Amino acid sequence: SPQPARRSWTSVPADRILASATSIRVRRLAPHALRVTHALPDASEFPRDPAWLQDILTGLTDDDAGGASSPRAELRGGCLHLLREDGSAAHAESHPPKLRRGMQLSFRLTPEEILYGWGEQFGAFARTSGRINLQAFNAPSFLQRRRSYSAIPMFLSSRGYGVLLLNAYPTRWRLDSHRHELTVQSSGGSADYLVILGETPKEIVQTYTGLTGRPPLLPAWAFGLWGTGYPQEDQDRVLELARQHQQHDIPLDVIILDYHWEEAFHNFRWRRSLFPHPDRLISDLRGLGIRLGLILTPFVNRENLGITKRVLNWRLRNLPPGEQRADERALTEYEECRRDGLLSHPRAWWWFGRGGMIDFTNPRAARWWADKLRPLLRQGIAFFKNDDGEYLPDSATSAIGLPGVEHHNLYGFYYGKA
């Protein structure tokens, strides 16, 4: 590989190539962020950007700042090295992919290095060894330490850098404390990632959110105490519990109703057997200073799966009394979605049935969804909680051309965006 010219990172305009060879390309995206892309195996060409990348990387805001020194990108013997201006290592070498299908990368670590991140996990917080499987999965408690609930392929290092892998396929990460090495493998996608420098985790996250988007600050009431019940209680019980908080001088800002506030999944209509007067419920709670939210799932049921529901209820007690035999199919909505091509998968399984999963990468599907929610907002519902976004089968499709195995970990992102 030709030896690239050594140039200061900050002297190069944004998105300009800093270093390039037949196997690797380094581009500057922000004052403290580089994008590193490895060429496809046995080819001199670099992979095209994935269809979802423009939705993930939204651009850097004007107020981005950071105190980290600017690094240099160097290629040595087919490996990438990033050095700060003072010559210290900003990011250890990363080796190019080794697999013909999918990709494998390895990052050299230092003996004292500690890593954090990878989305919502229920295992270790500070990591120096072990394995992480990044595939969104709704695991029972006894499996949670070995599964990922929200899979985000990003980690922060105690050495002052972060890495975001631009690959949505399920990935397997291994931290080897004896070899001081981090490896990551996937069955698809490319070896493409961001490296972000910062003297503190705050600086790294500031640059990261500048590239991926910063959410607005939540309203003050959203930081208060929330109350809920599972399985869902009826209207009288919800109000009784709200008033008990007031009687005991316990501030309560939010009540959220679980799945069975709804008649069927999803016809977006109140289940009158539990909530005969929803307007009165919203008004009474507002009088107590409490806002009401609703839990949603991304399914439109075609089948009830009565036996499955009874078995789960026997084990988990997850159905409200008297609702065990309720018909929770939303056949009209299902046929509408199927006819108009709004489904990512037509027969996905979940807790309370089998049906279509909305394809939120499709703008028409997102508009359909928003139109169904708008009357509930006008009625006085304060917010919605998205649940069950981790069930997308590998055989699913998407409007932007993603296979199900790649769409799976991104499904919750597009679900939330919608």
Side-chain angles (χ1 to χ4, degrees):
S1 303
Q3 178 68 28
R6 295 187 178 186
R7 293 191 293 177
S8 170
W9 183 2
T10 52
S11 69
V12 183
D15 205 29
R16 287 285 301 277
I17 295 175
L18 292 187
S20 183
T22 57
S23 62
I24 193 169
R25 181 179 64 200
V26 183
R27 288 178 289 180
R28 171 183 175 269
L29 296 188
H32 304 290
L34 290 179
R35 180 180 175 187
V36 182
T37 307
H38 292 268
L40 299 173
D42 301 325
S44 60
E45 63 183 28
F46 291 93
R48 294 182 178 180
D49 287 351
W52 46 264
L53 189 66
Q54 61 183 350
D55 295 319
I56 298 291
L57 296 182
T58 59
L60 198 65
T61 60
D62 293 336
D63 61 345
D64 181 78
S69 59
S70 300
R72 298 192 307 268
E74 297 182 1
L75 299 173
R76 304 178 195 160
C79 299
L80 170 72
H81 299 254
L82 299 182
L83 301 176
R84 291 190 174 91
E85 290 296 332
D86 60 8
S88 63
H91 172 58
E93 63 192 62
S94 71
H95 297 263
K98 299 178 181 178
L99 304 182
R100 292 185 179 273
R101 294 181 60 84
M103 70 92 196
Q104 173 179 303
L105 284 170
S106 59
F107 300 88
R108 176 112 26 216
L109 305 176
T110 59
E112 69 279 3
E113 196 163 353
I114 302 172
L115 304 182
Y116 308 84
W118 289 282
E120 187 171 6
Q121 308 286 330
F122 299 95
F125 172 62
R127 296 180 185 270
T128 56
S129 64
R131 299 173 185 267
I132 304 163
N133 293 318
L134 281 192
Q135 184 175 23
F137 188 84
N138 189 7
S141 58
F142 63 90
L143 289 177
Q144 283 179 352
R145 291 181 63 85
R146 295 187 293 276
R147 304 303 297 255
S148 298
Y149 188 57
S150 177
I152 301 176
M154 182 188 179
F155 66 88
L156 304 183
S157 168
S158 59
R159 291 178 60 210
Y161 70 90
V163 171
L164 171 64
L165 182 67
L166 301 176
N167 187 319
Y169 281 80
T171 50
R172 299 174 300 281
W173 303 70
R174 182 171 182 266
L175 282 83
D176 189 328
S177 57
H178 299 291
R179 299 179 62 184
H180 309 304
E181 187 176 62
L182 170 67
T183 59
V184 53
Q185 291 184 349
S186 76
S187 59
S190 56
D192 193 2
Y193 54 95
L194 304 186
V195 181
I196 302 172
L197 290 193
E199 299 296 339
T200 65
K202 181 178 180 179
E203 289 179 2
I204 297 171
V205 171
Q206 185 177 28
T207 299
Y208 167 71
T209 57
L211 288 165
T212 59
R214 294 185 177 129
L217 185 66
L218 294 174
W221 55 263
F223 294 95
L225 182 65
W226 292 30
T228 190
Y230 188 77
Q232 181 56 56
E233 297 108 341
D234 62 23
Q235 181 167 344
D236 291 340
R237 178 61 174 161
V238 170
L239 284 169
E240 178 188 353
L241 291 172
R243 291 176 177 130
Q244 285 183 12
H245 280 76
Q246 190 176 58
Q247 292 165 9
H248 292 280
D249 294 323
I250 301 173
L252 184 63
D253 290 271
V254 174
I255 284 179
I256 185 166
L257 305 181
D258 221 301
Y259 305 125
H260 287 94
W261 69 269
E262 192 176 11
E263 181 183 54
F265 308 111
H266 272 310
N267 67 2
F268 305 92
R269 294 195 293 267
W270 291 88
R271 188 177 295 244
R272 296 292 175 165
S273 57
L274 295 179
F275 300 98
H277 307 291
D279 289 323
R280 185 188 306 167
L281 173 66
I282 295 169
S283 176
D284 289 346
L285 290 176
R286 188 182 296 118
L288 297 172
I290 298 171
R291 288 167 172 82
L292 187 64
L294 304 175
I295 289 182
L296 298 172
T297 74
F299 294 88
V300 186
N301 273 6
R302 183 185 178 187
E303 302 173 46
N304 278 318
L305 299 185
I307 295 176
T308 302
K309 285 170 57 178
R310 287 195 290 273
V311 170
L312 288 173
N313 189 48
W314 170 65
R315 293 291 295 171
L316 303 175
R317 295 289 186 267
N318 64 344
L319 288 171
E323 302 299 322
Q324 289 85 347
R325 297 184 181 275
D327 184 358
E328 293 167 340
R329 296 175 298 170
L331 296 179
T332 300
E333 288 75 14
Y334 178 88
E335 287 303 320
E336 182 182 356
C337 290
R338 185 193 60 80
R339 182 191 68 234
D340 295 341
L342 307 184
L343 299 178
S344 184
H345 196 282
R347 295 186 72 248
W349 177 93
W350 71 296
W351 297 92
F352 296 116
R354 191 193 304 273
M357 290 188 76
I358 302 293
D359 180 8
F360 293 107
T361 70
N362 185 338
R364 291 189 298 116
R367 285 195 297 270
W368 180 90
W369 185 258
D371 288 343
K372 297 295 185 182
L373 300 184
R374 199 167 285 114
L376 292 163
L377 292 171
R378 286 197 293 262
Q379 192 176 15
I381 295 303
F383 69 97
F384 302 101
K385 173 196 168 183
N386 291 352
D387 205 359
D388 288 325
E390 60 277 354
Y391 285 88
L392 189 70
D394 287 351
S395 55
T397 59
S398 78
I400 58 176
L402 304 179
V405 67
E406 184 180 17
H407 192 184
H408 179 90
N409 281 344
L410 287 166
Y411 191 85
F413 169 79
Y414 285 102
Y415 183 16
K417 186 178 180 182

